[in-house]
Amino acid sequence: MSILAQQSAHLQLRDVCLAYGHQQVVHHVDLDLNNQEIACLLGPSGCGKSTLLRAVAGFQPLANGTISLDGKLLSSDQQVVPPEARQVGMVFQDVALFPHLSIADNVAFGLQNWKRRERKARVQQLLALVDLAGYEQRYPHELSGGQQQRIALARAMAPKPQLLLMDEPFSGLDAMLREELVPEVATVLKQEGITALLVTHDQNEAFAMADRIAVMRHGSVEQWNTAYNIYHRPATAFVADFIGEGDFLVGTVVDAQQVETAVGLLRGPCDGYAVDSQVQVFIRPDDVLHDDASSLQGRIVSKRFRGTHFLYRVEMSGGQQLSCFTDSHHDHQIGENIGIKLNLDHLLLFG
């Protein structure tokens, strides 16, 4: 049993359903988030992830189910604890810093009931934690976008909430800044011992930040697991297709260890599938190797240069297309034939 499984859940969602009028938008969600764990709701636009986050915050009533935090019932279809009484902090896409307040006063905004000395010490502690010590007397317009986001995080953490909710907080930042800031924020949350729930549609953010990820589709959770397992052991065809890149090959199960496909016989456990049953085999580009000596040939129909490598789209003789990574010095042209071979650690099969 994993360490995460041994811990008691800090945040519990049980059979949560959410609706706008008569239209249900989130369906029967069960999630357990452990103390000091960072989790993520990941999915395409319109899948219900932000609506679910709003329900945890107390802004969205439940149609069914319960939400509990540290053993206290926050929401049911009969009872709702107001947002301000939940001990929940929030960081939004729009940092919403107060432009007329100094950085120190922004961070201290939720600490009005603290003693002055304790409030000042907490502000200094957090500014040091987000690497902005000495910025106390500056104003938000004097900071960069990444610095403003770190101040928004410090402000949300200042009252030591039992749970921190983050709704697409990095989407307004450029890609390079986002790549730098996301792991920094994860480190800060771990140092503070904050339990957090992030909403994003960006899987790179989710992978860099979260201990566990809930992949959502059409208001339901398709898989709730670590980033590694979601990538290497997707529970559904949607998760496989949404996370990373890849293609589905039609196959026929030959026996317990083999599947026949348009690119040959693929070997690996076929647990749960009967002989002669039709399956979809999911192939990622890193499973497809460029090999000039291979008898398996395909025609390049598209290519994308990604600096360290090319991503080729290769069409086989039967019309099946696969994506293939090659080193950047293998610069082939569209229309050219290349040899490929499959190198699968395990089979990903879907009915």
Side-chain angles (χ1 to χ4, degrees):
M1 182 180 292
S2 69
I3 293 174
L4 290 179
Q6 292 172 14
Q7 299 172 344
S8 59
H10 183 64
L11 174 70
Q12 288 188 331
L13 279 66
R14 291 289 178 269
D15 197 30
V16 169
C17 300
L18 304 171
Y20 292 124
H22 296 295
Q23 182 182 3
Q24 195 172 100
V25 293
V26 172
H27 314 284
H28 308 289
V29 170
D30 291 296
L31 290 178
D32 284 343
L33 180 56
N34 295 310
N35 191 36
Q36 301 185 24
E37 187 178 9
I38 302 173
C40 176
L41 304 176
L42 174 66
S45 297
C47 71
K49 56 189 185 295
S50 289
T51 303
L52 187 57
L53 195 79
R54 285 175 53 82
V56 176
F59 299 130
Q60 178 73 34
L62 304 192
N64 190 70
T66 61
I67 298 175
S68 300
L69 181 63
D70 198 24
K72 178 184 177 183
L73 181 65
L74 297 183
S75 294
S76 70
D77 58 352
Q78 303 293 324
Q79 173 185 341
V80 178
V81 174
E84 65 274 13
R86 293 188 171 217
Q87 293 186 281
V88 171
M90 290 204 70
V91 180
F92 300 96
Q93 178 179 341
D94 179 358
V95 293
L97 297 177
F98 300 110
H100 63 291
L101 296 182
S102 69
I103 295 308
D105 288 339
N106 263 282
V107 175
F109 184 77
L111 306 178
Q112 291 92 340
N113 295 329
W114 288 40
K115 294 179 180 179
R116 183 177 179 181
R117 180 180 298 176
E118 293 175 347
R119 183 166 64 244
K120 183 178 180 180
R122 180 64 171 158
V123 170
Q124 291 177 339
Q125 175 197 12
L126 287 170
L127 288 179
L129 192 63
V130 298
D131 199 25
L132 289 172
Y135 284 65
E136 289 87 347
Q137 300 310 312
R138 297 197 190 186
Y139 286 83
H141 72 273
E142 299 178 278
L143 304 185
S144 68
Q147 290 171 331
Q148 289 182 17
Q149 196 60 262
R150 294 207 294 269
I151 294 301
L153 176 68
R155 182 179 64 182
M157 293 192 305
K160 299 184 178 181
Q162 291 189 2
L163 177 67
L164 182 65
L165 305 177
M166 297 178 286
D167 192 2
E168 305 257 14
F170 310 107
S171 60
L173 304 177
D174 64 71
M176 288 186 65
L177 179 56
R178 205 161 54 232
E179 187 172 339
E180 175 185 332
L181 187 58
V182 169
E184 288 179 359
V185 168
T187 298
V188 168
L189 293 175
K190 291 297 186 182
Q191 289 174 338
E192 271 284 288
I194 295 282
T195 307
L197 183 60
L198 167 75
V199 159
T200 185
H201 63 274
D202 186 325
Q203 59 188 266
N204 291 326
E205 271 181 36
F207 283 13
M209 190 114 178
D211 299 308
R212 285 192 290 174
I213 299 168
V215 181
M216 294 188 65
R217 180 194 186 204
H218 299 328
S220 297
V221 173
E222 297 246 333
Q223 189 168 2
W224 170 236
N225 214 313
T226 64
Y228 182 91
N229 284 336
I230 283 172
Y231 184 86
H232 289 287
R233 299 180 182 88
T236 67
F238 169 78
V239 174
D241 195 37
F242 182 73
I243 300 297
E245 299 176 89
D247 298 282
F248 290 97
L249 287 176
V250 175
T252 302
V253 175
V254 175
D255 55 37
Q257 292 291 325
Q258 297 183 103
V259 176
E260 184 64 53
T261 73
V263 295
L265 201 61
L266 305 181
R267 291 176 173 82
C270 306
D271 300 338
Y273 294 96
V275 172
D276 292 332
S277 59
Q278 297 292 303
V279 294
Q280 295 186 85
V281 186
F282 190 69
I283 309 291
R284 296 199 182 277
D286 45 314
D287 297 326
V288 184
L289 303 181
H290 176 220
D291 181 7
D292 288 327
S294 174
S295 60
L296 186 60
Q297 297 279 317
R299 181 175 60 88
I300 297 172
V301 294
S302 70
K303 61 185 286 191
R304 281 185 276 168
F305 181 61
R306 294 187 171 180
T308 59
H309 62 272
F310 282 103
L311 177 64
Y312 290 114
R313 191 83 175 146
V314 180
E315 184 175 80
M316 314 310 293
S317 59
Q320 174 69 55
Q321 293 187 2
L322 293 173
S323 294
C324 171
F325 288 136
T326 71
D327 293 336
S328 59
H329 61 274
H330 288 286
D331 187 6
H332 297 281
Q333 304 307 309
I334 293 176
E336 186 178 340
N337 282 353
I338 62 171
I340 63 171
K341 66 178 180 180
L342 300 186
N343 182 34
L344 302 172
D345 288 332
H346 59 281
L347 294 182
L348 292 177
L349 304 181
F350 301 96

